[in-house]
Amino acid sequence: MKARLFGVAAAAVIVLAAPQARAQQFVNVLTGGTSGVYYPLGVAIAKIYGEKIPNVKAQVQATKASVENLNLLQQGRGEIAFSLGDSLKAAWDGDAEAGFKAKLDKLRVIGAIYPNYIQIVATSESGIKTLADLKGKSLSVGAPKSGTELNSRAILKAAGMDYKDLGKVEYLPFAESVDLMKNRQLAATLQSAGLGVASLKDLSNSSDINVVAVPKDVVAKIGPPFVAETIPAGTYKGQDKDVPTAAVINYLVTSSAVSDDLVYQMTKLVYESLPELASAHAAGKGIKLETAAADSPVPLHPGAIKYFKEKGVLK
């Protein structure tokens, strides 16, 4: 009888333990506006995680991008997020002006991904062809305290301007900016994103545009993490010449609260699914394993370090 009771009890323990062993993990992917680059790449990453990490349910959250994403990670409200490098550095430093009330000490990097290009696009009828031409004109600088808006401040400052020099400042996400330009209610938009961003493609397909150059000397005044880059001719309809601009690296970021094992799997699946990410958005073609662990403004997560060491990217 005792043996039978012990067997029943053991079976009960196994039954009770089984659901816990198979407990589902949630991965919230923090992205940006739906018309940007973060969102489609985030959707692709969530799909890959949901299909390839056992017992994981992945979901995508549209946000105001970098600054909001990093604050949400610190609060434990996400497991992986997209961020611009300058926003990430500001978060680690606790830069209040950039939108961080204190140092976000829980942030950990998964890896570098593609560069964000500063893309300043004006309607042809606005007459804006150079940075100086923005004076007295209306410009959308991105959602308030977003990575794009921080980039806007940096570019204008390096060009010897600030918001007071503009005719009107709009703090709008990409799609809303383009809608105003189509309706002749806005002269120009600054969008920090991967090349071929959907909002600007939409604009160039319906209106004549000028892509405004950010000269190398202006980029040099800002300094790292900004670098001089080029928007290749033909990126947008009507853009028949290469246009010099600034770029800043994007990162995938997680939290120290996320387990080493889960981050290892998340890292591995990102860098071993690059064709899928390139299919989700052209910016995905800029993601390289060889540079993924380089020059991060925030420490790498131990789970990411394990993967990069396996691949020989880190020693």
Side-chain angles (χ1 to χ4, degrees):
M1 178 65 73
K2 285 182 179 179
R4 186 180 301 166
L5 287 172
F6 179 78
V8 170
V13 169
I14 291 169
V15 169
L16 289 170
Q20 190 172 1
R22 296 193 300 269
Q24 193 170 52
Q25 296 184 84
F26 290 90
V27 172
N28 192 26
V29 184
L30 303 168
T31 59
T34 55
S35 60
V37 178
Y38 288 173
Y39 189 81
L41 287 179
V43 169
I45 288 172
K47 183 174 184 291
I48 291 164
Y49 289 172
E51 291 174 351
K52 297 187 178 181
I53 304 179
N55 304 317
V56 155
K57 182 177 181 181
Q59 64 181 26
V60 179
Q61 182 175 340
T63 68
K64 293 177 182 175
S66 300
V67 176
E68 182 180 8
N69 289 351
L70 297 174
N71 281 311
L72 288 172
L73 279 180
Q74 180 75 14
Q75 296 162 16
R77 295 168 62 188
E79 284 66 44
I80 181 171
F82 291 78
S83 175
L84 278 165
D86 57 335
S87 299
L88 186 56
K89 183 180 186 303
W92 190 248
D93 293 342
D95 185 341
E97 190 176 338
F100 306 104
K101 295 179 181 178
K103 176 185 173 73
L104 303 193
D105 58 354
K106 294 180 182 177
L107 300 181
R108 297 293 183 272
V109 164
I110 285 177
I113 44 175
Y114 64 92
N116 247 33
Y117 291 73
I118 308 303
Q119 300 169 80
I120 305 174
V121 176
T123 60
S124 289
E125 68 178 18
S126 71
I128 297 170
K129 295 181 179 179
T130 68
L131 287 175
D133 292 338
L134 289 169
K135 289 183 178 180
K137 302 291 177 63
S138 56
L139 174 70
S140 177
V141 297
K145 298 294 186 182
S146 64
T148 291
E149 203 249 312
L150 296 181
N151 289 172
S152 297
R153 291 174 184 269
I155 295 293
L156 290 173
K157 182 179 179 181
M161 292 186 283
D162 60 25
Y163 289 171
K164 293 177 184 176
D165 294 306
L166 302 174
K168 185 178 182 183
V169 179
E170 296 282 5
Y171 298 88
L172 295 171
F174 296 172
E176 286 87 336
S177 302
V178 165
D179 286 343
L180 286 185
M181 292 175 77
K182 287 180 180 179
N183 293 326
R184 297 181 173 181
Q185 295 174 289
L186 180 69
T189 178
L190 185 151
Q191 304 197 0
S192 179
L195 292 176
V197 62
S199 53
L200 295 180
K201 279 199 165 185
D202 175 35
L203 178 64
S204 69
N205 286 333
S206 60
S207 307
D208 291 334
I209 63 166
N210 293 329
V211 181
V212 180
V214 180
K216 282 187 178 181
D217 63 320
V218 172
V219 181
K221 286 178 184 175
I222 308 171
F226 289 83
V227 295
E229 271 291 355
T230 300
I231 303 172
T235 299
Y236 300 106
K237 185 178 178 182
Q239 181 209 341
D240 56 4
K241 295 180 181 177
D242 289 352
V243 177
T245 193
V248 60
I249 298 297
N250 284 285
Y251 290 86
L252 286 174
V253 190
T254 186
S255 161
S256 58
V258 182
S259 74
D260 292 2
D261 179 62
L262 181 55
V263 173
Y264 170 82
Q265 293 182 77
M266 293 197 299
T267 308
K268 177 183 174 73
L269 285 171
V270 165
Y271 294 99
E272 295 185 3
S273 304
L274 297 184
E276 290 94 321
L277 299 185
S279 294
H281 195 283
K285 295 174 184 175
I287 306 174
K288 311 289 182 187
L289 174 61
E290 310 85 72
T291 55
D295 303 323
S296 170
V298 169
L300 290 164
H301 192 287
I305 290 172
K306 178 184 176 183
Y307 174 72
F308 292 138
K309 284 186 174 180
E310 283 182 3
K311 303 302 290 186
V313 176
L314 284 177
K315 294 182 179 179

